[in-house]
Amino acid sequence: MIRRRAVVHGLVQGVGFRWSAAREAARLGVAGWVRNRPDGTVEAAVEGPVGDVEAMLRWFGHGPAGAVVRAVDVADEEPTGATGFVVEP
């Protein structure tokens, strides 16, 4: 199990990014959360098996239709044993 924090830059708010991320997280079976930040980025924490977390990070690299992702900053975190995936405001 690994956990990664991601900050997604670009046109990523107002395009359904968080809800699409939640659907992708459910498909992959990863846990964590996603939220909008005041600076216009989207931030997420993703936890699960290495391959599934890496797949979710790749998804962040393009996001849903309508998103224009310019960059994704990723940092390692200690796994917390999280379950489920939450869309935060």
Side-chain angles (χ1 to χ4, degrees), residues 2-89:
I2 63 169
R3 183 178 179 93
R4 301 289 184 264
R5 175 81 54 113
V7 177
V8 186
H9 302 265
L11 176 60
V12 293
Q13 290 189 15
V15 295
F17 198 100
R18 291 175 300 150
W19 297 102
S20 295
R23 281 193 300 275
E24 184 67 7
R27 187 184 75 78
L28 293 168
V30 296
W33 51 263
V34 62
R35 66 180 169 212
N36 286 339
R37 293 179 18 161
D39 64 0
T41 61
V42 168
E43 181 180 26
V46 181
E47 183 170 331
V50 174
D52 297 332
V53 171
E54 288 176 352
M56 189 74 196
L57 294 174
R58 284 191 300 274
W59 184 89
F60 286 146
H62 57 78
V68 179
V69 177
R70 293 193 186 103
V72 181
D73 299 328
V74 178
D76 295 341
E77 293 189 340
E78 287 296 317
T80 65
T83 60
F85 195 87
V86 177
V87 176
E88 297 183 352

